[in-house]
Amino acid sequence: MQRSNPLAGVRVPPHAGVLSCRVVDPVDEPVTGAELTVTDAMGRRVVTGGTDPYGLFLAMVPAGEYRLAVAAEGYAPYRAAALVGENSLASLGDVTLQVAQPPEPPAPGDWDMDPAHSSVGFTARHIGLARIHGRFDSFAGVVRIAERMERSAMHVVIDASSIDTGIRMRDDHLRSADFLDVQRFPTLEFYSDRFVHKGGSRWAVTGALSLHGVTRTVTLDTEYLGLGNGVEGETRAACRATTELHRDDFTISWQSMLARGIAAVGPSIRVDLDVQIVPRS
């Protein structure tokens, strides 16, 4: 019996083939949104993409040898090799991802933020076009780790006047009453006692952000990076977190463009935190 060509009806360019797989979890359910990267024998990235709602991934590539890397939130990375022939289908079949073990949590107790190895940065739009990147240079914080991480709490205080975007005139404007109004509101404060585990190394840290005299509920999308040792052997823990703020929520507005070409910051601001904490002595 003659076997049918699996690529019948698919237009494949000369000297090319198709690489495919189905990404599933340990109980054979499809993993939607898994990220796949295909590299060639020299380690150069050829194709990147994600799985569809059925866990399927399909890519057309030049004939040759490839490495496939699969990553998905909450799962251990997966790697495989594939040989793609001309006008043929190279199927890896079902790729089963194993659930990743979450990193070891910090020990219960008070941990201080290490300013020398932490950063509080932000990105905003300048008149809706170019991006403005900035940071706050002065801040302090403490995290109280509970026996159950979900019952932990944190408190961060940021010096509003320490804002730094690399342009002094713009920074002075951001400190003025048009924006942060640091004379009336010298600090930004964030307090949270709600830590929600989202699986793997992901957490949602929800709390109250006080900015410009207004307090709003904010959730930090947080990735816990685990424990490590400093240069002097001290234990430290690290995490990354992001959130998006809207100026109007904190009654920060602008009335007009300033002289000398200084214009307004856009309505949405992305905040990026890189934090290391050390046990309180």
Side-chain angles (χ1 to χ4, degrees):
M1 182 178 179
Q2 186 178 7
R3 298 180 63 181
S4 61
N5 183 353
L7 297 182
V10 178
R11 297 187 61 182
V12 180
H15 313 298
V18 174
L19 175 63
S20 72
C21 67
R22 175 175 175 261
V23 182
V24 298
D25 64 15
V27 295
D28 203 37
E29 289 294 322
V31 178
T32 302
E35 297 178 357
L36 293 94
T37 301
V38 179
T39 54
D40 63 15
M42 301 296 292
R44 295 170 298 194
R45 184 177 300 178
V46 177
V47 175
T48 60
T51 52
D52 67 13
Y54 303 99
L56 298 175
F57 171 79
L58 185 146
M60 198 172 298
V61 295
E65 296 182 6
Y66 295 96
R67 297 286 297 177
L68 177 71
V70 186
E73 181 62 42
Y75 296 93
Y78 178 95
R79 291 176 174 82
L83 178 62
V84 179
E86 293 185 18
N87 196 36
S88 65
L89 173 66
S91 175
L92 298 177
D94 285 353
V95 169
T96 302
L97 300 184
Q98 301 300 320
V99 176
Q101 294 298 318
E104 179 185 355
D110 288 345
W111 294 63
D112 290 318
M113 185 182 296
D114 180 4
H117 296 93
S118 302
S119 64
V120 179
F122 62 87
T123 304
R125 289 285 187 180
H126 183 253
I127 57 171
L129 298 174
R131 296 175 189 266
I132 296 173
H133 298 279
R135 65 181 187 271
F136 290 93
D137 293 326
S138 179
F139 52 87
V142 62
V143 182
R144 175 159 292 174
I145 304 296
E147 292 289 343
R148 287 187 55 198
M149 276 291 292
E150 289 80 357
R151 295 181 178 175
S152 300
M154 69 180 298
H155 184 203
V156 178
V157 179
I158 301 171
D159 178 2
S161 66
S162 70
I163 193 168
D164 182 2
T165 67
I167 298 178
R168 181 176 178 179
M169 190 177 297
R170 180 168 61 204
D171 293 341
D172 289 342
H173 184 209
L174 292 173
R175 295 184 187 105
S176 74
D178 285 342
F179 287 94
L180 294 176
D181 198 358
V182 299
Q183 293 297 322
R184 296 175 58 201
F185 310 108
T187 61
L188 293 72
E189 295 194 40
F190 178 75
Y191 176 80
S192 171
D193 60 2
R194 186 182 178 193
F195 287 51
V196 178
H197 191 207
K198 298 175 66 178
S201 59
R202 310 297 301 197
W203 290 78
V205 179
T206 301
L209 174 64
S210 296
L211 165 63
H212 199 250
V214 178
T215 301
R216 293 283 186 267
T217 299
V218 170
T219 296
L220 301 177
D221 182 10
T222 305
E223 179 185 8
Y224 174 56
L225 302 177
L227 299 173
N229 293 317
V231 293
E232 298 181 359
E234 76 279 10
T235 300
R236 53 183 59 232
C239 71
R240 288 192 293 255
T242 64
T243 192
E244 185 172 283
L245 306 180
H246 299 277
R247 287 193 296 103
D248 289 346
D249 289 344
F250 296 92
T251 65
I252 299 176
S253 60
W254 53 274
Q255 301 300 324
S256 62
M257 300 291 186
L258 294 186
R260 298 174 186 166
I262 300 181
V265 172
S268 297
I269 301 171
R270 175 186 168 93
V271 179
D272 294 284
L273 308 174
D274 279 283
V275 175
Q276 290 191 23
I277 56 175
V278 293
R280 175 168 291 180
S281 301

